[in-house]
Amino acid sequence: MSANSNQNNEAAMQELRKLLFEKESVRLDELELLLRDQKLHAQEVAKVLAEAVKIRNQKDDELGKSLAPTIEKSIKESIAKDPKSLSDALFPVMGPAIRKSINNSIAEMLQSLNQTLENSFSVQGMKWRFEAMRTSKSFAEVVMLNTLVYRVEQVFLIHKETGLLLHHLSFDPALNEDADVVSSMLTAVQDFIQDSFAGSTDQGIENLRMGDLEVIIETGPDVVLAVVCRGTTPRSFNEKIQETVENIQQLYTVEFKEFEGETEPFQSMNEHLQPLLVSDFKGNAESDKKGSPIKAIIAVVLLVFIIIGWWAFGEIEDNQKQDQWHNYLQKIHNEPGIIITNIQQLDGKSIISGLRDPLSTDPYTLLSGFGLDGSNVIFHMQPYHALQEPLVLKRVAQLILPPKSIQITMNNGTLTISGVASEIWLSQAEQAALYIAGVDNIDSSQVSILTSVFKDFPHDRPIKLDALPSKPKKAIIRNKKPQKHVVTDEAILKRIIALLKPPATVQLVYSKGTLYVSGKASESWIEFAKNNFSRVEEVDSFHTSNLSSKGMQ
Amino acid sequence: MIQKKICILGAAGVGKTSLTAQFVYSKFSEKYLSSMGVKIDRKVVHVDETDVNLMIWDVHGEEKYKKIPTSYLRGASGILMVIDGTRIDTVAVAEEVRQRVLDKLGDVPFVYLLNKSDLQDAWSINENIMQQLQVTGSPILLTSAKTGDNVETAFSTIAKAMLPT
Ligand SMILES: Nc1nc2c(ncn2[C@@H]2O[C@H](COP(=O)(O)OP(=O)(O)OP(=O)(O)O)[C@@H](O)[C@H]2O)c(=O)[nH]1
Ligand SMILES: [Mg+2]
């Protein structure tokens, strides 16, 4: 298939030619064979044969030329009679070359297959998985990936003659895109390999492996079934595939023979192929369960609930302990950021496995609250990022460090920032929050941008962006128009204080545009304050009836 | 939707890969990367009210020591036979390959593509050759993978020829 393999074939052929046509020993063998009939002269000829051949070969290459057709013919006859014996004889020479060419063709196929699959698996698949981490799917998905033994990801039913895709099933619709190209490419590889093994008819490849993916290929007279699996399938699964091919082959023989490119008649294949789309999880007792991945997902999710509910049906030995345990499980089940996937009893200890967001409450610390002994419970918790909004919000807050003047809330994936903030802080916060899984959009249209020059406004702690990965694409809803500054009284008062620098004997109260000044102050300060209070934009009037300068210098 | 396998064949360097790339991706490159093995692309063409999903097998060029493996021809419903209009020797190669295809597949529709029609100065296809090709009864098109001239037509012509009439 590839240049390499072609070149290798070529090289192998050359080697073969060399072996057959140039090596004297071969020629001698053939000669001896031919001469054997002439029994009378055989012995005499034999004496001089080697010498004669040598001499003639030194003179010209006529001997070789005249022998070639005979040798060719005898090889052909030999192949016709018993291809196996010849291929056995040739295998030591051809074998490595063929093997190499197969590996190359597989490599080439893997390349194409890889490219196609990679597009759908790695990029889209990863994206999809990453996506799943951020959506409500993640729960099941995260659990599933952690417990996956194997999963059949795609099933290709391929028309053998044309390489055309008759039917395709996949657990993820995103994979349907290039299925027809993969199908053709698989066929091309199969054909090529079959051609490379001249004589043998069904020496196709049966199995391909690339990393975590395995392609199991089962060939019938008219169809090829290729099954792409992740993980390791049980042996019995191969038999199942084989049976399916036999079954389909029988039922659809006519349709296969008459196939002209119309795939409509094969829609009904679903019922035969769907059962192959199976998966198995560590939690399952048997390793070859039927069912769609959806069922499997549900199974795992159910498992969680069943485990939580097991106490209800279990034998009640110690009611009180049982109740405490149940209440405890109920509590951690409701705790955001904790997913329990399994609970085992071992040597009187309970082993709780699952996933836990580092920001969630440590389930261990909750034990004592239910009167349970921590030394009897072992936790096997894998970290994950939960998408429950309280935890997302916590994570956001950890990163953007909102000042007191800012409120943040989460709702349906939208992070709403409201309150008052400086432009710098807001834009930093927006950028940073985008990196948090679970934050799909940001709505900061309710933020009043404060352009205050006063340095003591609660503000600007720098947010470190360098350590973050490349910027994800999410939406920020932000008011384009600069907002009217809606500033709290508290903030205004701070600015007034910063401006007027009142002595400790003075109390300032600001309300609705009026600054109330009371206490004692020097004449000069009162004068200064009167002349300057209006420099704070929001202050319209200055109330000094409770202010005196008595006793002040 | 109907699917059909077609093969694009011819001597090395005549522009098979370029024609496919122009058709499928609307791209052309002056760089010559000799094909190895087969590359399969897909594009849906719309002919006579029917959508045809063309599976295009772009096979490496026929060379003396690198013949086109007949296994790649299996199940093909049509052949695009490409000739380099600036290289007269590619006509004989096309004829040789055509014979092989007929042996393997029987009577399948062919379309001849005289490619590189943009290179008028170097054009070397004469009347004689045109007549010789016309005898086969297959459509003949002047194409340019570079300008895209007649490329769509080439693929829709073969698609049309493959559909039942
Ligand atoms: N000017 C011009 N150049 C072309 C045209 N088509 C192909 N070429 C050039 O011809 C060279 C060979 O083109 P390819 O498409 O690789 O030829 P190919 O038939 O696929 O070659 P092999 O795979 O080796 O058999 C490249 O340099 C192309 O840029 C054309 O229509 N016009
Ligand atoms: Mg090419």
Side-chain angles (χ1 to χ4, degrees):
Chain A
M1 296 252 332
S2 70
N4 273 346
S5 63
N6 278 320
Q7 275 157 16
N8 284 329
N9 280 342
E10 206 53 48
M13 285 309 293
Q14 260 164 25
E15 193 141 282
L16 191 59
R17 270 184 221 123
K18 222 173 169 176
L19 184 86
L20 291 174
F21 303 128
E22 280 176 29
K23 283 217 170 149
E24 287 172 344
S25 60
V26 175
R27 287 185 183 154
L28 282 173
D29 284 348
E30 288 298 328
L31 265 174
E32 277 175 326
L33 209 77
L34 285 166
L35 289 170
R36 201 162 289 155
D37 285 343
Q38 306 174 323
K39 275 177 190 152
L40 278 176
H41 307 291
Q43 276 176 343
E44 279 166 72
V45 173
K47 282 175 199 157
V48 294
L49 188 58
E51 204 55 31
V53 168
K54 211 169 167 184
I55 292 169
R56 187 60 202 253
N57 269 347
Q58 273 163 4
K59 209 177 131 208
D60 57 34
D61 52 3
E62 278 307 304
L63 189 62
K65 275 186 192 161
S66 49
L67 279 177
T70 321
I71 295 174
E72 266 168 22
K73 198 166 156 247
S74 69
I75 292 174
K76 272 186 191 148
E77 269 166 15
S78 164
I79 296 173
K81 221 164 70 197
D82 182 6
K84 195 165 179 307
S85 70
L86 185 83
S87 74
D88 282 354
L90 287 180
F91 197 75
V93 195
M94 293 291 285
I98 291 174
R99 266 200 300 275
K100 214 169 165 202
S101 87
I102 289 175
N103 281 342
N104 277 323
S105 18
I106 291 176
E108 165 81 8
M109 194 222 84
L110 293 193
Q111 223 178 358
S112 317
L113 192 64
N114 224 356
Q115 276 170 3
T116 320
L117 290 171
E118 214 166 338
N119 275 337
S120 27
F121 279 111
S122 315
V123 187
Q124 280 191 21
M126 283 309 286
K127 227 196 289 171
W128 169 77
R129 224 163 291 148
F130 192 73
E131 205 63 26
M133 295 291 282
R134 310 175 28 246
T135 64
S136 54
K137 261 197 302 192
S138 70
F139 170 81
E141 189 62 19
V142 170
V143 174
M144 194 175 69
L145 286 177
N146 271 277
T147 56
L148 184 70
V149 175
Y150 73 92
R151 173 169 68 192
V152 176
E153 307 218 320
Q154 299 191 71
V155 178
F156 297 84
L157 185 70
I158 305 165
H159 189 241
K160 196 172 164 189
E161 170 85 2
T162 57
L164 296 175
L165 184 64
L166 296 174
H167 200 69
H168 178 245
L169 285 178
S170 81
F171 84 109
D172 179 4
L175 301 176
N176 292 342
E177 179 81 1
D178 288 323
D180 52 356
V181 177
V182 172
S183 145
S184 289
M185 210 60 223
L186 264 172
T187 314
V189 174
Q190 286 278 76
D191 288 351
F192 181 82
I193 289 169
Q194 247 161 54
D195 265 23
S196 301
F197 284 98
S200 61
T201 42
D202 19 80
Q203 286 229 33
I205 28 169
E206 285 158 9
N207 231 307
L208 293 171
R209 196 163 249 296
M210 42 199 142
D212 202 22
L213 286 181
E214 186 186 23
V215 187
I216 303 170
I217 299 164
E218 186 64 42
T219 310
D222 297 317
V223 281
V224 175
L225 189 62
V227 180
V228 180
C229 321
R230 186 177 295 279
T232 313
T233 50
R235 295 210 81 150
S236 59
F237 187 63
N238 283 35
E239 285 158 30
K240 199 156 133 188
I241 295 177
Q242 216 170 321
E243 277 167 27
T244 309
V245 170
E246 283 163 14
N247 205 2
I248 287 175
Q249 179 68 43
Q250 239 183 7
L251 289 169
Y252 289 83
T253 305
V254 181
E255 283 87 343
F256 292 148
K257 294 271 188 263
E258 288 173 353
F259 180 64
E260 288 279 354
E262 184 54 74
T263 50
E264 198 55 37
F266 302 103
Q267 288 310 310
S268 51
M269 279 294 176
N270 238 13
E271 70 174 289
H272 303 284
L273 299 181
Q274 193 72 47
L276 293 176
L277 218 53
V278 294
S279 37
D280 184 40
F281 298 86
K282 281 170 195 150
N284 289 9
E286 300 161 50
S287 60
D288 194 11
K289 269 200 175 143
K290 291 186 183 182
S292 71
I294 288 299
K295 278 185 202 150
I297 295 167
I298 294 168
V300 174
V301 176
L302 272 181
L303 194 69
V304 177
F305 292 105
I306 289 167
I307 286 160
I308 284 161
W310 65 267
W311 62 273
F313 309 101
E315 267 179 75
I316 299 167
E317 288 165 358
D318 180 342
N319 261 328
Q320 200 203 338
K321 263 256 134 55
Q322 201 82 48
D323 274 359
Q324 286 168 344
W325 185 236
H326 160 62
N327 290 338
Y328 172 71
L329 290 177
Q330 197 64 51
K331 167 79 180 159
I332 58 174
H333 171 59
N334 291 332
E335 199 62 38
I338 296 178
I339 295 169
I340 306 299
T341 55
N342 199 5
I343 299 171
Q344 278 178 304
Q345 303 292 334
L346 202 75
D347 301 333
K349 293 192 181 197
S350 303
I351 302 166
I352 300 184
S353 326
L355 306 168
R356 182 186 158 229
D357 189 303
L359 289 178
S360 65
T361 316
D362 186 347
Y364 185 84
T365 62
L366 296 172
L367 281 167
S368 58
F370 291 85
L372 294 166
D373 181 1
S375 62
N376 284 330
V377 186
I378 299 164
F379 290 95
H380 285 304
M381 305 300 274
Q382 305 236 35
Y384 89 113
H385 278 187
L387 294 157
Q388 281 111 332
E389 296 195 322
L391 287 169
V392 172
L393 201 60
K394 256 193 195 176
R395 207 167 285 124
V396 169
Q398 259 188 1
L399 187 66
I400 70 172
L401 307 167
K404 286 202 189 77
S405 59
I406 281 292
Q407 295 82 47
I408 56 173
T409 55
M410 278 298 300
N411 192 15
N412 285 330
T414 299
L415 172 71
T416 305
I417 308 177
S418 53
V420 186
S422 71
E423 173 71 38
I424 300 168
W425 180 85
L426 183 62
S427 59
Q428 280 183 343
E430 283 169 345
Q431 292 307 312
L434 291 178
Y435 292 96
I436 302 291
V439 176
D440 297 330
N441 325 296
I442 297 174
D443 182 351
S444 56
S445 58
Q446 297 309 308
V447 177
S448 302
I449 306 287
L450 193 83
T451 46
S452 164
V453 289
F454 294 99
K455 287 202 187 80
D456 56 345
F457 184 77
H459 79 149
D460 311 337
R461 263 176 290 177
I463 297 160
K464 285 221 164 63
L465 287 172
D466 343 340
L468 295 168
S470 62
K471 189 183 159 192
K473 283 200 184 72
K474 295 174 190 174
I476 306 177
I477 307 162
R478 199 167 165 187
N479 228 333
K480 287 263 158 53
K481 291 175 280 175
Q483 284 254 305
K484 214 179 109 201
H485 300 168
V486 183
V487 185
T488 59
D489 288 356
E490 188 192 358
I492 294 168
L493 192 61
K494 280 203 167 177
R495 279 154 61 201
I496 296 169
I497 293 168
L499 178 72
L500 301 181
K501 297 187 181 66
T505 49
V506 162
Q507 290 87 47
L508 298 180
V509 175
Y510 169 79
S511 174
K512 294 184 180 130
T514 303
L515 178 65
Y516 300 90
V517 188
S518 56
K520 286 178 184 168
S522 66
E523 289 283 3
S524 61
W525 184 82
I526 295 171
E527 192 59 25
F528 168 77
K530 270 184 183 158
N531 291 333
N532 285 288
F533 76 89
S534 60
R535 281 171 59 197
V536 174
E537 212 184 326
E538 289 84 356
V539 184
D540 302 326
S541 55
F542 189 58
H543 205 271
T544 55
S545 52
N546 290 325
L547 184 67
S548 83
S549 59
K550 247 181 241 163
M552 301 293 292
Q553 284 310 346
Chain B
M1 197 190 320
I2 284 196
Q3 294 187 72
K4 292 285 182 185
K5 167 178 173 178
I6 64 166
C7 290
I8 181 158
L9 305 175
V14 293
K16 299 177 293 294
T17 304
S18 303
L19 285 163
T20 310
Q22 178 62 258
F23 176 60
V24 180
Y25 305 104
S26 309
K27 274 186 188 149
F28 176 79
S29 159
E30 294 281 355
K31 243 202 295 185
Y32 177 30
L33 281 169
S34 179
S35 295
M36 333 209 156
V38 60
K39 183 169 182 295
I40 297 161
D41 272 302
R42 163 246 293 117
K43 187 170 167 178
V44 177
V45 288
H46 191 75
V47 281
D48 298 343
E49 316 280 295
T50 318
D51 282 336
V52 184
N53 189 15
L54 283 183
M55 302 303 304
I56 307 158
W57 290 47
D58 170 21
V59 183
H60 65 76
E62 170 91 355
E63 283 175 272
K64 200 163 176 202
Y65 296 107
K66 205 172 106 186
K67 303 257 180 242
I68 296 167
T70 48
S71 60
Y72 291 154
L73 305 174
R74 228 174 58 183
S77 304
I79 306 290
L80 288 174
M81 186 62 78
V82 188
I83 289 167
D84 183 341
T86 69
R87 284 191 295 145
I88 203 153
D89 58 307
T90 62
V91 178
V93 178
E95 191 44 37
E96 199 186 313
V97 175
R98 194 176 92 98
Q99 254 349 299
R100 194 127 32 89
V101 173
L102 292 177
D103 286 351
K104 169 91 181 175
L105 298 180
D107 197 16
V108 290
F110 275 78
V111 174
Y112 279 103
L113 307 181
L114 304 180
N115 191 38
K116 309 197 184 176
S117 64
D118 55 293
L119 301 175
Q120 278 304 322
D121 292 344
W123 200 250
S124 55
I125 303 292
N126 53 36
E127 256 316 297
N128 261 352
I129 292 170
M130 288 304 278
Q131 272 170 15
Q132 184 194 321
L133 295 177
Q134 269 157 10
V135 172
T136 65
S138 302
I140 305 169
L141 292 167
L142 291 185
T143 57
S144 169
K146 187 173 178 176
T147 64
D149 206 33
N150 260 346
V151 173
E152 290 278 340
T153 316
F155 285 89
S156 56
T157 305
I158 192 68
K160 212 168 192 165
M162 293 183 307
L163 291 182
T165 40

